[in-house]
Each structure stands twice: as structure tokens, then as C-alpha cells.
Amino acid sequence: RAVCNGYDKVTFTLVQIVHKHGSQNVFIYFPGNRAVGAAVIQSSTFAGWFAEKAIDSNRGFQQLNTTCTSTLNESNPWWRLDLLDVYRVSEVVITSRNDSYAEQINGAEIRIGNSLENNGSNNPICAVISTIPAGESYNFTCNGMVGHYVIIHIPGDWKILSLCEVEVYGYLAGNLLL
């Protein structure tokens, strides 16, 4: 169970049980943030602000340089999470930096899909982040969008993308055959 804004989050996965007399669909509880243990990459890296720091389960409130990510100043910076399977994403939670550079998330698009074309920025948009105040975590509802990848992308020139934590909640898109 993860707790977000005081509410317990529960994630269920649809499983198909097949036996000699037919099959039955059931939901099984598999808790947790799907970003943990996934693979990440970003368009560039400023100093030691690596992509993996956004999925370390540390929202970065004390030491930003050891728990947050940052790209260089570039055109169309992006950060991409490979969920290692296709999921129906119900929610993405993003935590901004807790300093005077929190605006480096403003205007970012959360995209979910299966394509890596154009670094994943052609996938459908779950949400556009207008602003997240310094050190805050905001929840973005994605209504079961299906995808192998979650991309955070800021369109435009001379942009820096910085994240302190990305959490992804959802369930496997396909049935598991038992």
C-alpha cells in the first residue's frame, strides 16, 4: 500500500485463470509504485543529476543534488521510464525540486504509450504540468492509458527538465495466463 495525500492507494491486476472447464477473470492485489525497479534514461545529464534519481523513492527534500535529476539546457528535454511491460496507468505522481529552480518542470507533458518515435514524445498526453510549487508532489490522473513507457517532456528551446521523484500507479494491461 502506498499513501498519497492521506489516502491509501491500492493497485489490482486483472488475471485470467484458465482451467479445463473454461476461464475466469479475477483481480489480484499487487501493491506499489511501478516506477521502482524500472529502467530510466534522459536526454542529457547535468553533472551527477542522473535519471535514476527520480525513481529512488526519495522525494529529495533534504539534499537535491543526491536525489533529483536534471538535464542540460537544451531543446525538447525528456526523461523516459521503461515499465518493462505494458501497463494501464491510472496515475502519475511527480515531485518538483524544493529550491528556487522548481519552475524547471513547468510546461512539461506526461506522455504514455508504446512508441519510442521522437524519443516517445509522439505518444498520447496524460497531462500537461502547468506548475508544481517547490517541493510539492502533484497527482495526475491518466485514466488507464496503456503504455510501455512514461515520458516527461518539455517542448521548446533552451529548456531544463528537473525532477525529484516520479511515481507510476497502474496494472498490467494484458491478462496473465496461469
Side-chain angles (χ1 to χ4, degrees):
R1 252 173 224 256
V3 177
C4 189
N5 294 337
Y7 296 101
D8 284 342
K9 289 196 160 306
V10 178
T11 303
F12 291 89
T13 298
L14 179 64
V15 176
Q16 185 177 41
I17 299 173
V18 179
H19 49 84
K20 67 180 184 178
H21 299 293
S23 65
Q24 179 179 4
N25 290 334
V26 295
F27 285 96
I28 297 178
Y29 174 66
F30 290 111
N33 173 6
R34 301 301 176 191
V36 174
V40 292
I41 190 170
Q42 60 190 19
S43 55
S44 63
T45 300
F46 172 75
W49 297 54
F50 301 107
E52 293 81 5
K53 293 181 179 183
I55 59 167
D56 63 359
S57 299
N58 183 338
R59 291 189 171 178
F61 298 133
Q62 274 69 44
Q63 296 179 329
L64 293 172
N65 62 331
T66 61
T67 60
C68 299
T69 73
S70 183
T71 65
L72 298 170
N73 197 338
E74 62 185 336
S75 295
N76 305 306
W78 53 266
W79 178 93
R80 183 175 66 231
L81 175 73
D82 181 342
L83 293 168
L84 307 176
D85 209 333
V86 179
Y87 280 82
R88 288 192 179 276
V89 177
S90 55
E91 186 173 47
V92 175
V93 180
I94 298 190
T95 303
S96 71
R97 293 172 61 150
N98 193 20
D99 64 6
S100 60
Y101 297 102
E103 80 282 349
Q104 291 178 343
I105 190 67
N106 295 354
E109 301 169 343
I110 302 170
R111 293 178 173 268
I112 297 171
N114 295 315
S115 174
L116 289 177
E117 183 180 344
N118 200 16
N119 297 310
S121 61
N122 291 350
N123 285 317
I125 295 176
C126 161
V128 176
I129 302 167
S130 57
T131 186
I132 300 176
E136 295 288 322
S137 297
Y138 275 26
N139 301 22
F140 299 92
T141 301
C142 300
N143 297 315
M145 291 178 72
V146 176
H148 194 101
Y149 304 102
V150 176
I151 297 95
I152 315 296
H153 165 254
I154 300 181
D157 295 328
W158 296 103
K159 303 286 185 179
I160 297 172
L161 175 61
S162 189
L163 306 161
C164 282
E165 195 66 23
V166 176
E167 301 167 47
V168 177
Y169 297 93
Y171 55 91
L172 284 171
N175 290 338
L176 295 175
L177 199 53
L178 298 178

